[in-house]
């Protein structure tokens, strides 16, 4: 092979494959193709170098972010790929430094490293002060024993019976019964628990009971089908009627029918009625003591909680949280026991005091750590100051102030205030109250309630602690009624009510 042939073969081998396939002709054509390819490669190399030099001159990259192997350190212009990598690293470093500085600026220097432990129990204290039924009921051992004995002699012995449970609000009536019913959850006992506040009219209680026993497709307001069922039933039926005084009506047919069920031959019903009035059966169901003595229920009275009992329960609920000052707890127990003896009221006051302290803590936290820790010697969050504030805002006569009492009951209170002005003992007989109430309604063209309804209104006012009733049960009209509130307090609370303030100023 001569020299020219060898050069031609080398040129063909150095050129791209496509070019070799396309230009596989004469020697001159191959040489021309080789020259063109070399020129294009030189032009590309020069263009990349020029762009890299211009970019490095206009946007220099800090040397502290360049890698040791970067072309900048070698004195040569970086390639496009290397330059992009260097700029990305620079941006990430600057962004990281900015975020770190922002976090440092956002945290004040005087914030303590650890929040005091007494502030961490606020939520636990609020949760423990809710009205949920606890696992153990303190200071109600006598009542629990009486209820347990009644259920043992009736439900467990397959014997019908009835029980009326009375007591002021918040004395644990419903809580004790609910606690004992957990024992019969898995037994064959049929339990029907109804809150009569949900019943729109007295006859609807039969519809509710029949729906539980016979099914919703056989619901009826007729009592006869239910009477037949409870007589023929092979299982014991326990009916618990909370707020049973809501079934009061003229003639009391519904209540008499309910209390007659346990006395039917072969009956399997155990009836438990719960209400606030102490003399509910004597006042509204007098026939149970005369013609229907065999239907008379057993009686169980829940007494109000004492100061020591309320304080003991509050200490037990709060545990070792240390959120409320013991003196504040005793102060709350003393105030509640003096007016109502209502445990729910005591729990509510303590919970509101903790929520007040929590709100103050949050407000001080927004104001800075110095204000939040301005009194670091305090060992409790809720002191006498917060408790006194809450109790002052919750007067015993708040039911008059917030319109929670109906108009008829406020009319009774106003009538009692006017009548008590002429009495040195501030006592008014029920007969005087009835006559004065009628005159007030006639003069203002208002519909007056019947004597029976008026007695029921007085019973409710007694349970909420506004009045006190003393007297003979056999002669209700001779009972003495006393207003627990001061006359000036009632006038102050009702001064913005045009009708009621007119009665107080003009009299009967």
């Amino acid at each position: 092979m001569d020299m020219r042939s060898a050069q031609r073969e080398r040129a063909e081998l150095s050129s791209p494959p496509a070019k070799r396939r396309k230009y596989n002709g004469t020697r001159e054509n191959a040489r021309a193709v080789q020259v063109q390819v070399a020129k294009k490669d030189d032009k590309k190399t020069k263009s990349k170098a020029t762009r890299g030099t211009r970019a490095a001159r206009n946007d220099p990259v800090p040397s502290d972010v360049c890698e040791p192997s970067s072309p900048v350190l070698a004195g040569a212009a970086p390639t496009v790929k290397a330059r992009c990598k260097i700029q990305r690293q620079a941006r990430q470093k600057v962004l990281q430094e900015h975020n770190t500085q922002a976090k440092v600026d956002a945290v004040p220097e005087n914030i303590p490293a650890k929040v005091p432990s007494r502030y961490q129990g606020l939520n636990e204290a609020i949760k423990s002060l809710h009205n949920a039924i606890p696992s153990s009921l303190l200071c109600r051992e006598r009542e629990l024993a009486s209820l347990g004995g009644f259920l043992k002699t009736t439900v467990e012995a397959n014997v019908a019976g009835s029980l009326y449970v009375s007591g002021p609000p918040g004395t644990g009536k419903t809580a004790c019964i609910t606690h004992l019913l957990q024992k019969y959850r898995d037994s064959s006992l049929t339990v029907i628990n109804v809150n009569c506040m949900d019943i729109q009219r007295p006859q609807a209680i039969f519809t509710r009971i029949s729906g539980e026993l016979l099914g919703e497709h056989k619901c009826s307001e007729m009592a006869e089908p239910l009477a037949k069922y409870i007589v023929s039933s092979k299982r014991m039926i326990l009916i618990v009627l909370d707020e049973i005084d809501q079934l009061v009506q003229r003639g009391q047919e519904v209540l008499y029918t309910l209390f007659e069920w346990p006395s039917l031959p072969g009956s399997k019903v155990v009836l438990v009625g719960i209400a606030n009035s102490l003399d509910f059966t004597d006042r509204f169901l007098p026939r149970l003591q005369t013609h229907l003595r065999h239907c008379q229920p057993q009686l169980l009275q829940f007494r109000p909680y004492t100061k020591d009992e309320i304080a003991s329960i509050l200490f037990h609920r709060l545990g070792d949280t240390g959120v409320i000052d013991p003196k504040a707890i005793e102060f709350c127990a003393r105030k509640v026991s003096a007016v109502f003896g209502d445990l729910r009221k005591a729990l509510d006051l303590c919970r509101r005091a903790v929520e007040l302290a929590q709100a103050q803590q949050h407000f001080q936290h927004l104001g800075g750590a110095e204000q939040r820790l301005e009194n670091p010697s305090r060992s409790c969050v809720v002191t006498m100051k917060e408790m006194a504030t809450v109790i002052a805002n919750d007067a015993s006569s708040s039911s008059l102030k917030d319109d929670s009492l109906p108009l008829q009951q406020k009319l009774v209170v106003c009538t009692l205030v006017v009548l008590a002005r002429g009495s040195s003992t501030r006592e008014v007989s029920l007969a005087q109250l009835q006559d004065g109430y009628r005159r007030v309604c006639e003069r203002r063209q208002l519909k007056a309630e019947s004597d029976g309804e008026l007695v029921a209104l007085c019973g409710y006012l007694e349970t909420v602690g506004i009045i006190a009733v003393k007297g003979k049960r056999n002669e209700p009209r001779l009972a003495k009624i006393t207003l627990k509130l001061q006359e000036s307090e009632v006038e102050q609370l009702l001064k913005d009510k045009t009708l009621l303030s007119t009665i107080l100023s003009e009299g009967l």
Side-chain angles (χ1 to χ4, degrees), residues 109-290:
E109 297 179 356
N110 55 358
I111 288 294
K114 184 178 180 180
V115 179
S117 60
R118 61 179 178 270
Y119 292 129
Q120 298 176 359
L122 289 174
N123 293 331
E124 289 78 1
I126 293 175
K127 183 178 179 181
S128 64
L129 291 171
H130 278 285
N131 292 327
I133 299 177
S135 57
S136 60
L137 298 175
L138 301 180
C139 307
R140 280 295 175 259
E141 291 78 11
R142 182 184 67 83
E143 290 79 2
L144 286 172
S146 300
L147 282 173
F150 170 78
L151 294 177
K152 185 176 181 180
T153 56
T154 54
V155 174
E156 298 181 9
N158 293 329
V159 177
S162 59
L163 174 69
Y164 174 68
V165 181
S166 62
T171 52
K173 303 183 296 295
T174 305
C176 289
I177 293 178
T178 305
H179 179 76
L180 291 176
L181 289 182
Q182 296 178 358
K183 176 182 177 182
Y184 304 97
R185 182 179 302 174
D186 299 329
S187 64
S188 60
L189 175 67
T190 301
V191 179
I192 302 175
N193 198 339
V194 181
N195 190 326
C196 297
M197 293 288 290
D198 302 331
I199 304 300
Q200 297 181 355
R201 49 199 183 92
Q203 288 78 8
I205 188 64
F206 297 127
T207 304
R208 181 71 174 271
I209 297 175
S210 62
E212 297 282 347
L213 295 178
L214 307 177
E216 296 183 359
H217 62 286
K218 294 184 179 180
C219 291
S220 174
E221 291 186 357
M222 302 298 294
E224 289 77 7
L226 287 174
K228 294 180 181 180
Y229 179 84
I230 62 179
V231 171
S232 61
S233 175
K234 297 181 180 180
R235 301 176 59 181
M236 292 298 296
I237 304 171
L238 176 61
I239 302 176
V240 180
L241 301 180
D242 200 358
E243 306 293 345
I244 194 174
D245 51 351
Q246 297 297 318
L247 302 180
V248 172
Q249 62 175 174
R250 182 171 300 177
Q252 315 301 344
E253 292 85 358
V254 172
L255 287 173
Y256 279 119
T257 300
L258 290 173
F259 280 99
E260 286 174 1
W261 280 353
S263 62
L264 295 177
S267 175
K268 298 292 184 180
V269 168
V270 177
L271 178 66
V272 177
I274 307 173
N276 297 329
S277 301
L278 304 180
D279 56 348
F280 174 77
T281 55
D282 297 338
R283 185 185 303 173
F284 298 106
L285 303 173
R287 283 190 296 169
L288 295 180
Q289 298 181 359
T290 56

Side-chain angles (χ1 to χ4, degrees), residues 135 175 252 347 351 373 432 469:
S135 57
Q252 315 301 344
L347 292 173
R351 183 174 63 253
L373 301 177
Q432 293 175 332
V469 180

Side-chain angles (χ1 to χ4, degrees), residues 1 3 62 69 94 100 108 120 133 194 226 230 270 301 312 325 357 370 390 426 440 479 490-491:
M1 182 181 298
M3 185 177 298
S69 59
V94 173
T100 304
Q120 298 176 359
I133 299 177
V194 181
L226 287 174
I230 62 179
V270 177
Q301 179 180 348
S312 176
D325 187 357
E370 294 182 356
V390 172
R426 298 187 63 192
V440 168
V490 176
E491 293 177 352

Side-chain angles (χ1 to χ4, degrees), residues 67-104:
E67 298 178 351
S69 59
S70 175
V72 175
L73 298 179
T79 62
V80 176
K81 184 176 182 180
R83 175 178 170 273
C84 292
K85 182 178 180 181
I86 293 170
Q87 290 180 346
R88 184 169 60 253
Q89 292 176 351
R91 287 194 298 268
Q92 290 178 355
K93 183 175 182 180
V94 173
L95 183 60
Q96 184 177 4
E97 293 177 353
H98 175 74
N99 293 338
T100 304
Q101 185 64 30
K103 291 181 180 179
V104 173

Side-chain angles (χ1 to χ4, degrees), residues 290-309:
T290 56
H291 302 83
L292 302 173
R293 296 184 63 87
H294 59 284
C295 302
Q296 189 173 2
Q298 300 182 31
L299 302 179
L300 177 60
Q301 179 180 348
F302 277 65
R303 53 182 174 77
Y305 286 99
T306 63
K307 174 180 71 67
D308 295 335
E309 290 174 344

